Amino acid sequence: EIGVRLVGSEMCIRDSDDSALFHAIICTPQKSRFPIRCKELTSVHGCLRILKMELNNTDNLNIESQFMLVNPEQLKTSMPVSESGAKTVSDSRRVIKNILEKKDHRLIAIVGPCSIHDVESALEYAKRLKALPEKLSDTLYIVMRVYFEKPRTTVGWKGLINDPHLDNSFRIEEGLQIARKLLMEITSMGVPVATEALDPVAPQYLSDLISWYAIGARTTESQTHREMASGLSSPVGFKNATDGSLMVAVNALKSSSHPHRFLGINGQGQVAVIKTKGNDYSHIVLRGGDGGPNYDRQSVGKCEAVLADAGLEPTIMVDCSHANSGKDPTRQPLVVSDIASQIQQGNRSVVGFMMESHLNFGNQSLDVKGKEELRHGVSITDSCLDWSSTESCLINLALSLIHI
């Protein structure tokens, strides 16, 4: 079926209907369109066999390379959680569950940078959270937002795990190590951590250090993420869809509360069938949508009704950023103030809130500035509220709710 003719140092292969012409360069195999080793080109028949295999190949056509990673158990063994860190995670999960069940009157406050790109500034932020006045703990239960993965609308920096050096070197194993080390240091301080579950493999490496997970607006509808959430050891908040609709998140709550079986990896990195028990502590996170904010009293009331119609408890968290603030960080304290007002007026369905906050105000572009010119403590993703404003916001909120 394939005709062959030798031309100098080239062997030209033409199929029977002359629809394509392929060249295997014997003397310079690195120029070949196919990954054929020179030593295999010892005969015309050998060339035909190899080239025919390549022409009919249907697998991994767009995969350039694959690299083996350390498996989850190896990473955890080499970087074990400390006794104090384990206690922080265990205690904080219990508190968060009690708040979700309305057994604890406090509000969950998930506060921190939009994303972590600099370990030093993250640790500095964690120390400031830890140093907040003890009197806040009567009203607020503060958890640090520590996001290592960022979903992108098109392309861009995908987070510290994917590209820890911010230079497109994509040293993912190093990213996992840096992320785990940071989580170990923060939890050892006694500061609990929240993050987004985006890559379905990453929790195997880090989930023993996480107290609360978010499933983002882009992935709430994903069956993969609903299944994953059903097996996570922490409470999980599902955000409403980017268009503002609630039913995607409501369906996710129902799905994640049930057992599932799906393909995944185990602690040894082997492909396995994962069987979950279902997560009883999933809840909705209102983050606004294309139609505008949804944190106000009417929107919260609508969410309560939708949850009740679905047979679910009215347990709601509000994301003060994203569409609820129009991505203007200065509006986040206004959202917090509105939440406080609703609680003062008798609302008991709102159990917490999220804020995007960093050491310094605003954001900066990695593409424009480059890694070396980045300012300390300024986000490279969404714009964040500065620390001073964040501290004032939390103190004012705590004081406004101290007698409730």
Side-chain angles (χ1 to χ4, degrees), residues 14-320:
R14 185 186 295 273
D15 68 5
S16 56
D17 63 0
D18 287 344
S19 62
L21 182 65
F22 301 92
H23 298 277
I25 312 298
I26 294 176
C27 59
T28 55
Q30 66 272 18
K31 296 181 181 179
S32 173
R33 290 179 58 182
F34 307 109
I36 301 172
R37 294 184 297 274
C38 190
K39 65 180 182 180
E40 293 175 325
L41 301 176
T42 56
S43 68
V44 169
H45 291 295
C47 294
L48 286 175
R49 178 178 60 78
I50 294 167
L51 287 175
K52 192 170 184 180
M53 287 171 57
E54 294 296 333
L55 293 176
N56 293 330
N57 181 36
T58 60
D59 194 26
N60 289 337
L61 298 180
N62 288 321
I63 303 299
E64 182 176 300
S65 62
Q66 299 180 56
F67 302 93
M68 296 296 292
L69 283 177
V70 61
N71 70 46
E73 287 301 328
Q74 288 171 334
L75 185 64
K76 291 177 181 179
T77 299
S78 66
M79 304 178 71
V81 59
S82 67
E83 184 176 345
S84 60
K87 186 177 188 305
T88 297
V89 176
S90 179
D91 289 350
S92 59
R93 287 177 181 174
R94 182 167 56 253
V95 171
I96 292 170
K97 289 175 181 179
N98 284 338
I99 294 173
L100 294 174
E101 291 181 330
K102 317 293 175 63
K103 296 177 181 177
D104 188 322
H105 71 280
R106 291 178 289 180
L107 282 179
I108 305 165
I110 297 175
V111 185
C114 174
S115 61
I116 301 299
H117 72 275
D118 171 32
V119 169
E120 288 185 12
S121 61
L123 288 172
E124 183 179 342
Y125 192 97
K127 291 174 183 176
R128 294 190 186 188
L129 276 184
K130 182 65 177 175
L132 282 171
E134 183 64 28
K135 62 185 178 183
L136 296 185
S137 64
D138 292 333
T139 307
L140 304 177
Y141 188 71
I142 298 175
V143 180
M144 182 172 169
R145 175 188 169 114
V146 184
Y147 276 35
F148 297 119
E149 303 176 271
K150 296 301 297 180
R152 312 308 304 194
T153 302
T154 53
V155 294
W157 183 70
K158 296 179 184 177
L160 189 76
I161 291 176
N162 184 264
D163 187 18
H165 298 290
L166 289 73
D167 59 1
N168 293 325
S169 58
F170 305 111
R171 299 178 186 176
I172 293 176
E173 182 165 325
E174 192 172 342
L176 287 167
Q177 293 168 344
I178 293 171
R180 186 167 178 85
K181 185 174 185 293
L182 177 60
L183 292 174
M184 290 167 60
E185 293 187 58
I186 294 174
T187 54
S188 292
M189 293 181 198
V191 177
V193 167
T195 195
E196 179 175 356
L198 184 58
D199 188 299
V201 173
Q204 289 280 10
Y205 290 90
L206 305 174
S207 64
D208 58 324
L209 291 158
I210 304 298
S211 299
W212 184 88
Y213 271 108
I215 303 295
R218 294 176 180 85
T219 46
T220 287
E221 196 168 6
S222 160
Q223 176 171 287
T224 297
H225 290 79
R226 294 174 178 185
E227 291 172 341
M228 174 176 61
S230 75
L232 291 174
S233 301
S234 307
V236 179
F238 284 92
K239 295 193 177 182
N240 64 255
T242 54
D243 64 0
S245 62
L246 302 178
M247 284 310 300
V248 167
V250 170
N251 290 335
L253 301 184
K254 289 182 173 181
S255 175
S256 63
S257 68
H258 284 79
H260 288 276
R261 292 173 178 81
F262 55 92
L263 290 176
I265 67 165
N266 62 19
Q268 291 73 47
Q270 299 168 314
V271 177
V273 175
I274 309 298
K275 180 180 178 181
T276 68
K277 296 178 180 179
N279 194 326
D280 293 330
Y281 295 95
S282 56
H283 53 279
I284 195 167
V285 180
L286 299 180
R287 48 87 72 199
D290 294 340
N294 61 2
Y295 64 84
D296 58 277
R297 184 164 57 88
Q298 291 77 13
S299 296
V300 170
K302 176 183 176 181
C303 183
E304 291 171 348
V306 170
L307 290 169
D309 288 344
L312 299 171
E313 288 294 319
T315 305
I316 300 168
M317 187 175 286
V318 174
D319 181 352
C320 300

